[in-house]
Amino acid sequence: MAGTTTDLERQLSELLEQERFEPPEEFRANALIKDLSVHEEAAKDPVAWWRRQADALHWFTEPQQTLNDENPPFFKWFEDGTINASYNCLDRHVEAGLGDRVAFHWRGEEGEERDITYAWLLEQTQRAANALKDHGVGTGDVVGIFLPMIPEVVVAMLACARIGAPHNVVFGGFSAESVKERMEFSDAKALITVDGARRKGKVAGVKAAVDAVGMPVQTTFVVRHTGLDDTPMGEGDVWWDEALAAADAECPAEPLPAEHPLYILYSSGSTAKPKGIQHATGGYLTQVAWTHKYVFDLKPESDVYWCSADVGWVTGHSYIVYGPLLNGATSVMYEGAPDYPHKGIWWELCERYGATIFYTAPTAIRACMKWGVEHVEKFDRSKLRLLGTVGEPINPKAWLWYWKVVGGGNCPVVDTWWQTETGAIMITTLPGAQAMKPGKAGTPLPGIDAAVLDEQTGEELPRDTQGLLALRRPWPGMLRTLAGDDDRYVQTYWSKWDERTYLVGDAAKQDEDGYISVIGRVDDVLNVSGHRMSTAEIESAIVSHPKVAEAAVIGAIDEDTGHSVAAFVTLEGSLEGTDDLVLEIREHVAMRIGKLARPKRIIWADDLPKTRSGKIMRRLLKDIAEGRELGDVTTLRDPDVMAQLQGKVKERAEDEA
Ligand code: WTA
């Protein structure tokens, strides 16, 4: 055990000196992959190697073709094969006699428990698929899903996949207006939502909120969860349980072309309009299954796996739903917040369900560090054997704390780099085969070509030089396009250098061993507690407030959350910025986008620093918000603006002090 806080502090600062951590002996001895031969094998012929990994899935028609790269950047994988995601996640295991295996130990916020078996999921999914069909949803129709962390969200996703209706899941933290926008953009036919959602002991009506903005869909299915008895049900509204009860119990999985879209997931880009990232089926499942098995060293018979993300993000899609179910894993699914009902709840649940693998975000680890070791050490985590992180760079101190305090120094920590667009993990260390380096994600996985390139020339940079992260070879789990916007797809990702080199949008560097450290975004995308948001989207929400004239949003570096949202706001006419108005604007953003996008700080500005062509100089605003010396201001239309703003921020800082 780590002992007292001061002991721990001392141990951690000593460990900060250590660059490499070898996999623990016992772990390596039992690992699925113990050396680098798999990297070597894949490097010989990556495309052929991926074709072999596709054999881990059940295909109705075996693909004869692997990669079609004739029309870059519209790449296709396994295109003549037919497959079904729901069949691979469920039927296959039940037919193999594993129906009674627990897929999810579900835990409700108030301590309710449900063990969800593979057989139950299959039974419910078939009924749900028929219920969708009964209400006019067919292959190719988009279905929105706006649900909390309850087993029904898995059923809903797999029911869509079963009939080839791409799902469009919206994270529960988004506002009803955001849901509406995403339903409109994707032309959704139906929406699956819930009566109400619980958050830290409170219940909020979800169906009522959805109704208040109106949804552009034909049918709204409503899951009964919190049992609110004033849930409004109108024409076109159907209770989920009643629809399932009325539906036929049998619904064979539809054989679908491998390139059939499995889902759309909206994510933030550098403009106010979110991007509908569209994934296909066969390639995505291949890469998700492989990475889930080998990055987490999964032994489905004995492991209990827990990814603490929300299904509303890509991490939830790939590593709560598809990856674990494809591999027949037993997972933990928790409805509540990490500090509800108490700050040790995660570790209490690790003990209770015997979790062996735990996957979370650096921001959550930093929160746990703040809360203190006592909340962790109160519970038995001796079954844990592997830890993982995702979503943002992890600072070495948080990495070490995770490794030492949570893992007791016995568990490898995999720092996994990937994106909504990549669909699956791309860069990390294979835990039984590669040493870990805190703060560096690791090397490209087998079959993946990631490199750090010069922005101008596109040439690979020498080691230890910062540049742009790029992916130079198509990979099976890659996005296929942006829903309804092929041009934006090409422009955003494939136009920096050439149409075969994917621009990630992150700055990175690679060390002498080929380990990549990802430094952060180079575009106007913020990462707040691992949640991806766009400055333009938040600005547009703020500006839609009637009293606001103009706004510039930046992500200020924040010790706890990675970035925090800071907004420079100019008001209409001669209005004065007041504390009440701060609250009003924050509330307005919560309504337009969701609570997660609310600015932490609002700075009133008479004017914003702009170039002569009228472009807001965000770099300067960042300098101000983070209290740095100002960079070059000579390109500004009116350099005085900066001095004024700086004065304001200082005043505020003194006020706060
Ligand atoms: C960042 C989440 C450093 C990165 C799966 C990326 C990371 C963006 C890491 C994607 C990591 C994710 N180290 N940065 N291990 N993982 N990121 O689409 O900036 O929500 O481009 O996907 O998160 O965020 P997204």
Side-chain angles (χ1 to χ4, degrees):
M1 286 293 108
T4 65
T5 311
T6 37
D7 275 354
L8 178 66
E9 287 287 326
R10 207 194 49 245
Q11 289 173 23
L12 291 183
S13 31
E14 277 167 22
L15 285 169
L16 274 173
E17 309 282 310
Q18 188 176 332
E19 199 213 353
R20 295 166 66 91
F21 289 71
E22 294 298 332
E25 268 319 309
E26 196 194 328
F27 187 94
R28 191 194 286 262
N30 297 306
L32 295 175
I33 296 181
K34 301 183 176 61
D35 58 41
L36 291 176
S37 55
V38 59
H39 285 88
E40 288 154 18
E41 192 200 325
K44 285 185 211 148
D45 185 347
V47 172
W49 184 81
W50 277 120
R51 174 62 191 86
R52 292 197 292 281
Q53 309 321 311
D55 287 338
L57 303 174
H58 177 270
W59 296 84
F60 295 114
T61 323
E62 291 281 334
Q64 303 304 317
Q65 294 174 13
T66 304
L67 170 65
N68 174 344
D69 60 355
E70 279 161 20
N71 181 28
F74 297 93
F75 300 100
K76 295 178 177 157
W77 285 86
F78 312 121
E79 64 181 314
D80 61 346
T82 62
I83 189 164
N84 186 287
S86 152
Y87 185 91
N88 274 282
C89 288
L90 304 175
D91 306 57
R92 207 161 49 123
H93 306 310
V94 174
E95 283 165 17
L98 302 175
D100 290 339
R101 181 179 288 177
V102 173
F104 294 100
H105 294 293
W106 180 80
R107 172 82 167 213
E109 236 200 28
E110 300 304 331
E112 306 89 333
E113 294 184 302
R114 281 167 74 185
D115 273 353
I116 302 300
T117 63
Y118 278 87
W120 184 87
L121 278 178
L122 177 57
E123 194 259 333
Q124 291 284 299
T125 298
Q126 296 198 67
R127 286 186 179 277
N130 280 327
L132 288 170
K133 287 206 246 176
D134 293 345
H135 289 87
V137 177
T139 305
D141 290 333
V142 173
V143 176
I145 298 179
F146 187 47
L147 288 172
M149 290 290 285
I150 52 178
E152 285 75 10
V153 74
V154 181
V155 173
M157 289 165 78
L158 295 177
C160 290
R162 201 162 184 89
I163 62 170
H167 53 71
N168 173 2
V169 180
V170 183
F171 170 55
F174 279 112
S175 68
E177 287 202 30
S178 286
V179 180
K180 181 182 180 184
E181 187 183 66
R182 285 156 167 77
M183 295 306 113
E184 270 165 10
F185 292 162
S186 65
D187 201 14
K189 193 142 187 194
L191 173 68
I192 306 170
T193 186
V194 69
D195 51 359
R198 310 194 282 191
R199 192 71 185 164
K200 300 198 191 187
K202 293 200 196 104
V203 177
V206 175
K207 174 62 167 54
V210 158
D211 279 358
V213 299
M215 286 296 150
V217 293
Q218 282 175 20
T219 311
T220 302
F221 294 91
V222 187
V223 175
R224 262 186 253 263
H225 175 50
T226 50
L228 290 174
D229 42 5
D230 54 354
T231 299
M233 294 294 277
E235 212 180 307
D237 293 344
V238 191
W239 288 110
W240 179 250
D241 55 310
E242 290 172 12
L244 264 63
D248 205 65
E250 249 170 70
C251 179
E254 191 91 34
L256 297 162
E259 281 294 306
H260 188 80
L262 179 60
Y263 66 83
I264 300 170
L265 182 58
Y266 280 84
S267 181
S268 295
S270 49
T271 70
K273 191 178 173 195
K275 303 184 285 197
I277 289 163
Q278 189 171 312
H279 281 288
T281 308
Y284 173 81
L285 297 179
T286 301
Q287 194 180 341
V288 164
W290 194 92
T291 50
H292 183 258
K293 180 166 175 186
Y294 293 106
V295 172
F296 298 110
D297 189 54
L298 182 85
K299 322 250 176 26
E301 303 74 29
S302 53
D303 275 317
V304 176
Y305 163 88
W306 185 3
C307 166
S308 78
D310 188 283
V311 275
W313 303 106
V314 75
T315 306
H317 283 57
S318 300
Y319 298 108
I320 292 178
V321 180
Y322 290 109
L325 295 178
L326 287 170
N327 289 324
T330 296
S331 302
V332 176
M333 184 184 214
Y334 179 48
E335 181 193 19
D339 57 350
Y340 186 87
H342 60 82
K343 294 190 169 82
I345 184 69
W346 278 2
W347 320 115
E348 181 185 337
L349 298 186
C350 278
E351 174 181 304
R352 168 129 186 101
Y353 302 114
T356 57
I357 304 168
F358 186 69
Y359 189 34
T360 194
T363 190
I365 298 166
R366 290 193 296 267
C368 292
M369 281 170 76
K370 248 196 178 155
W371 296 335
V373 292
E374 62 276 17
H375 299 287
V376 186
E377 290 182 344
K378 223 159 69 199
F379 300 99
D380 177 15
R381 296 147 350 270
S382 58
K383 292 239 169 81
L384 280 175
R385 59 181 199 91
L386 177 70
L387 302 171
T389 72
V390 59
E392 51 180 316
I394 180 161
N395 49 309
K397 191 159 175 206
W399 191 101
L400 288 167
W401 189 92
Y402 195 31
W403 182 77
K404 182 94 193 152
V405 176
V406 176
N410 302 315
C411 307
V413 175
V414 288
D415 173 355
T416 65
W417 178 89
W418 57 297
Q419 305 180 295
T420 309
E421 289 87 342
T422 69
I425 301 169
M426 303 290 281
I427 301 173
T428 188
T429 47
L430 288 177
Q434 290 174 283
M436 305 156 268
K437 300 187 187 186
K440 297 181 179 178
T443 61
L445 281 173
I448 301 300
D449 181 339
V452 178
L453 306 185
D454 178 274
E455 173 159 17
Q456 305 306 331
T457 63
E459 300 284 316
E460 187 159 353
L461 287 167
R463 293 295 152 104
D464 285 324
T465 314
Q466 183 170 327
L468 295 184
L469 186 61
L471 303 167
R472 295 186 297 190
R473 191 189 302 123
W475 63 101
M478 66 194 298
L479 79 167
R480 296 305 194 263
T481 190
L482 296 177
D485 204 344
D486 285 350
D487 285 346
R488 192 175 176 196
Y489 168 67
V490 177
Q491 274 309 315
T492 310
Y493 304 110
W494 307 95
S495 60
K496 178 107 204 148
W497 300 291
D498 62 64
E499 73 270 353
R500 287 172 187 275
T501 310
Y502 171 93
L503 173 72
V504 163
D506 285 350
K509 59 186 176 188
Q510 197 162 18
D511 74 9
E512 64 284 1
D513 299 327
Y515 279 52
I516 294 175
S517 31
V518 177
I519 292 146
R521 303 289 308 181
V522 291
D523 52 13
D524 297 326
V525 172
L526 307 187
N527 193 330
V528 181
S529 300
H531 301 328
R532 197 168 140 178
M533 277 174 288
S534 112
T535 54
E537 213 175 326
I538 305 174
E539 281 164 9
S540 135
I542 297 178
V543 172
S544 72
H545 187 283
K547 291 182 185 152
V548 173
E550 207 174 18
V553 164
I554 55 137
I557 302 295
D558 187 290
E559 241 184 54
D560 300 324
T561 58
H563 281 143
S564 71
V565 178
F568 292 79
V569 177
T570 60
L571 295 171
E572 287 289 353
S574 52
L575 286 174
E576 277 285 316
T578 60
D579 289 349
D580 282 349
L581 197 48
V582 168
L583 296 179
E584 232 180 81
I585 291 174
R586 280 170 51 85
E587 199 35 50
H588 186 73
V589 173
M591 186 195 60
R592 294 301 297 258
I593 305 179
K595 283 189 181 157
L596 69 171
R598 281 181 309 196
K600 186 168 175 189
R601 265 168 92 198
I602 291 181
I603 299 149
W604 305 117
D606 299 327
D607 202 355
L608 295 172
K610 291 190 191 137
T611 59
R612 290 188 186 89
S613 61
K615 201 171 173 305
I616 295 173
M617 299 271 293
R618 275 171 234 281
R619 176 176 56 78
L620 294 178
L621 292 175
K622 249 178 115 70
D623 287 344
I624 290 192
E626 290 165 8
R628 261 192 308 277
E629 285 295 304
L630 289 185
D632 182 16
V633 294
T634 51
T635 52
L636 284 182
R637 193 165 54 191
D638 177 5
D640 284 350
V641 170
M642 291 308 291
Q644 287 168 17
L645 273 178
Q646 225 172 2
K648 291 221 164 170
V649 173
K650 244 175 133 181
E651 261 170 50
R652 255 205 110 72
E654 275 157 18
D655 281 358
E656 282 159 12

